Amino acid sequence: VPLLPCFPHWIIAHYFSLSHSALTRSSFTSISYSYPRYPYNASDKREFKSCKFSLSNSFAQPLSMPELINKLKASADGGAELLDLYHNHNLEYVPIGGSLDLRRDIARIIYDDELPAENILITPGGQSAVQTAALAFTSRGVHSIVFTPGYQSTVESPQWAVGNAGVTKLRRRPENDWQVDPDELRGAIRPDTKFLILNEPYNPGGIVMDAALQEEVVGICRERGIVILCDEVYRLLEHDDAVRIPTMANAYERGISAVTMSKPWGGCGITIGWVACRDEDMVQRMVDVAYFGSVCPSRASEIQGRMVLRVSDAILRERRDVILENKALLQDFIENRYSEWFRWRRPNAGAIAFVKFVGPWTSEKLGDHLAEAGISVKPAYCFTDSVEGEVEDYFRVGFGERKMPLALEALGKFVDDHEESWRAVMATNGE
């Protein structure tokens, strides 16, 4: 059965046990449960795996261990304590929820000590953070609201909980700058709606809502006691600090922030993420879920995470510089050099953008041809289970890496080689 590779063993066990029950008990039909049949981007992973030029990666410039150590040694205290800890730590289990030293660092550096360390739960990456929160709060007859197109876990994870009362998917639209529509949100709420997932800054659009919209959404949920899980993996990569909004954990007493070190800091291989929440009882519910899933992260990863946080400002500054340089190139590419073929809502956060192809192909067909030319992108089907309407013309590009300009030039050559045939097709079709 093609399940997500990062799924905890107990979720897989749930699937097989429930499937067997379906054969033996008619009461199974009363259980609301939907396992992920496949990752949205499963075919994308296969088709673009060997591409020479990547425009599909969504993280900031990857961090290397030598770079991290050099930055640590150049810091005010030289990092000797952390380097010694890394080389001499023992290999026993860390506490469920993560070691206190890492949680304290996160509380101080990310949340300005407005959250105690005990209100932070460490997970092995951001994927586990989202799943843990969703599974903790969407069973027992809870109806959830999510937004699409989006990163698959933020769209589908409530459906994976046994006993959930269903999920309503609301559209984010380009004509609304990919923003959440608060009126549509109000209209989708039911008496049993108790869970909402946001993704701010938004993947794949690369756009963050403003503080006024955040306050309005929080107000809607506060009136009804709805938990908000916000995937904040691109926070701290805003293109201008002025557009940064508070973390959901800081903004709302029933808000949960989900974070990973892979996106802002480029620490993908560290595989450290976390959830943070002001409500201690809510934190305990997530700890109880984690107990049967990933249990605890690697101590070596925790120490690497502490190293990253110790020199966070320097890492983030360099990553954002790369993003802004590449964004300028991409902006010229879309708005000037190849404006005949591409449109976008200019991103203001993260290392990603959702781009519209206005030629004669869908984004899926464009992706197929780009893969043949050794160029990878993320077509619309990577972000929704229902590719329909205008969204089928969109594809995501990533521009967080230093090598991105080479991939963009390869894309330009591809357009140069095909635009005459595109014009001929569109003229024949009367477009």
Side-chain angles (χ1 to χ4, degrees), residues 51-53 368-375 410 414 418:
C51 287
K52 178 180 179 181
F53 301 104
D368 290 342
H369 287 288
L370 286 173
E372 293 171 359
I375 304 167
F414 177 89
H418 289 82

Side-chain angles (χ1 to χ4, degrees), residues 187-241:
I189 293 174
R190 307 181 337 198
D192 57 352
T193 302
K194 296 300 175 185
F195 195 73
L196 171 74
I197 301 184
L198 295 174
N199 180 195
E200 297 292 335
Y202 170 57
N203 179 9
I207 291 175
V208 63
M209 65 170 54
D210 61 29
L213 180 55
Q214 184 192 48
E215 289 177 6
E216 184 172 6
V217 171
V218 167
I220 292 169
C221 293
R222 179 178 285 124
E223 290 175 1
R224 299 161 178 83
I226 298 171
V227 171
I228 300 177
L229 166 63
C230 190
D231 181 332
E232 298 171 349
V233 300
Y234 289 106
R235 192 174 183 275
L236 304 181
L237 286 182
E238 294 84 359
H239 302 170
D240 183 339
D241 288 346

Side-chain angles (χ1 to χ4, degrees), residues 148-162:
T148 184
Y151 187 66
Q152 187 171 4
S153 289
T154 68
V155 177
E156 291 202 344
S157 56
Q159 297 175 211
W160 307 339
V162 175

Side-chain angles (χ1 to χ4, degrees), residues 251-330:
Y252 179 36
E253 62 276 9
R254 293 184 64 76
I256 304 167
S257 295
V259 187
T260 178
M261 288 201 150
S262 66
K263 305 303 184 186
W265 296 276
C268 310
I270 296 176
T271 60
I272 285 289
W274 65 84
V275 287
C277 179
R278 286 159 57 182
D279 188 299
E280 293 180 4
D281 291 337
M282 290 174 59
V283 173
Q284 186 58 52
R285 286 180 65 172
M286 291 185 283
V287 170
D288 291 344
V289 169
Y291 181 84
F292 292 101
S294 53
V295 186
C296 57
S298 153
R299 182 56 178 159
S301 292
E302 286 191 329
I303 300 168
Q304 287 176 311
R306 294 192 65 203
M307 292 177 179
V308 167
L309 292 171
R310 183 71 59 89
V311 290
S312 175
D313 288 345
I315 295 171
L316 291 173
R317 183 169 53 250
E318 291 182 4
R319 268 65 195 165
R320 190 163 75 168
D321 285 347
V322 172
I323 287 170
L324 293 179
E325 290 171 7
N326 288 344
K327 178 186 174 182
L329 296 175
L330 188 59

Side-chain angles (χ1 to χ4, degrees), residues 1 17 24 31 37 62 104 112 141 143 148 167 190 205 209 217-218 220 237 243 263 281 301 312 346 392-393 409 415:
V1 177
S17 64
T24 58
I31 298 176
R37 295 176 297 280
R104 283 175 173 164
D112 299 320
H143 168 255
T148 184
V167 178
R190 307 181 337 198
M209 65 170 54
V217 171
V218 167
I220 292 169
L237 286 182
V243 305
K263 305 303 184 186
D281 291 337
S301 292
S312 175
R346 194 182 298 170
E392 72 174 355
D393 298 325
E409 284 307 305
V415 175

